[in-house]
Amino acid sequence: QVQLVESGGGLVQPGGSLRLSCAASGFTFTSFAMSWYRQAPGKERELVATITRFGYKTNYADSVKGRFIISRDDTENTVYLQMNSLKPEDTAVYSCKAKHYAYDINYWGKGILVTVSS
């Protein structure tokens, strides 16, 4: 069955780094663009970063531009989010999403908590 499983979250101090991973299975990974979203307590879900099929193009929210890097490994069916210079306002549940390039098919992971605090 389709699965998106996030890992790599946890507690980090301000200014620190974390790398999130999202391992995909049960579908043709290369047919999907991949995105990371986040939702902070009491706030709406926010699109953080997107990477197109085969990694041709990436896009970032202004709030993370220059600090976060999204990448994908199509041999491992995994998408990554390298998060640097973390701030307390980056605290949120981070989820990955797969979006088919042609059909209205979307898959979501369950999410993982990232807490930035001293």
Side-chain angles (χ1 to χ4, degrees), residues 33 47 56 75 99:
L47 174 61
Y56 289 145
T75 66
K99 177 178 171 57

Side-chain angles (χ1 to χ4, degrees), residues 31-100:
S31 294
F32 288 76
M34 300 298 298
S35 298
W36 286 97
Y37 285 76
R38 69 184 181 186
Q39 187 165 22
K43 294 191 176 181
E44 292 189 356
R45 188 166 57 194
E46 172 190 24
L47 174 61
V48 175
T50 297
I51 186 165
T52 59
R53 298 167 66 211
F54 310 113
Y56 289 145
K57 189 176 178 181
T58 59
N59 285 296
Y60 298 91
D62 287 344
S63 57
V64 306
K65 217 171 273 188
R67 299 188 298 122
F68 290 11
I69 301 171
I70 188 171
S71 61
R72 63 189 293 162
D73 184 339
D74 290 345
T75 66
E76 297 288 338
N77 290 353
T78 301
V79 62
Y80 302 97
L81 186 68
Q82 177 66 43
M83 305 186 294
N84 302 318
S85 302
L86 283 160
K87 306 174 181 179
E89 51 263 43
D90 294 319
T91 295
V93 173
Y94 286 73
S95 303
C96 63
K97 173 189 167 183
K99 177 178 171 57
H100 196 275

Side-chain angles (χ1 to χ4, degrees), residues 25-32 72 77 100 107:
S25 60
F27 61 95
T28 305
F29 188 68
T30 52
S31 294
F32 288 76
R72 63 189 293 162
N77 290 353
H100 196 275
Y107 303 124

